[in-house]
Amino acid sequence: MPSNTPEHAAVWFEIPVTDLKAGMNFYGAILETELVETEMGPNAVAIFPNREPGTGVAGHLYPGKPGEPGKGNTIHLAVPERLESAMDRVVQAGGTVVSDIIPIPAGRFVYCLDPDGNSIGLFN
């Protein structure tokens, strides 16, 4: 393996939302966690928590202009328990489930859209 191969292919993600507080509520509800609002760069952002802050792969929500619904990248997020429960929370929080559960060797995931139309995968 070449010496310049990174430990992780992804190091950070950003999800644009039209309303930061509403985005925090949506993602907090479906992931059963609390996003932390902080100043980072030119504006406030909401950080997704991870087990060891400052290490590993994480990301944030930021006030921005989401792309056309269902277009662009898909961020896959870990859910704390059964996908079926997370899918119910997506709908209750104003998002849309757009696929059936898809089994893969590493686990299972489902495609969804957040209220702004961002494509997300929920993985368990």
Side-chain angles (χ1 to χ4, degrees):
M1 184 177 296
S3 63
N4 63 349
T5 302
E7 182 178 351
H8 302 283
V11 296
W12 191 259
F13 63 87
E14 299 178 327
I15 300 174
V17 292
T18 56
D19 179 319
L20 188 60
K21 296 284 189 204
M24 291 173 69
N25 290 336
F26 175 79
Y27 284 96
I30 65 168
L31 300 176
E32 295 187 316
T33 193
E34 186 174 331
L35 281 73
V36 177
E37 186 173 348
T38 187
E39 293 289 325
M40 183 184 287
N43 54 353
V45 298
I47 305 288
F48 285 85
N50 65 345
R51 186 172 293 156
E52 297 179 36
T55 65
V57 178
H60 68 253
L61 302 177
Y62 70 96
K65 184 179 182 210
E68 198 175 316
K71 304 289 183 187
N73 296 326
T74 300
I75 303 297
H76 288 257
L77 303 169
V79 296
E81 82 315 290
R82 294 176 8 100
L83 279 177
E84 292 81 358
S85 299
M87 292 163 67
D88 290 342
R89 291 192 303 275
V90 165
V91 174
Q92 292 167 0
T96 307
V97 175
V98 297
S99 78
D100 292 330
I101 293 174
I102 301 165
I104 59 174
R108 304 179 320 147
F109 73 94
V110 62
Y111 288 111
C112 303
L113 298 177
D114 74 7
D116 284 310
N118 292 304
S119 177
I120 58 172
L122 301 181
F123 181 83
N124 170 281

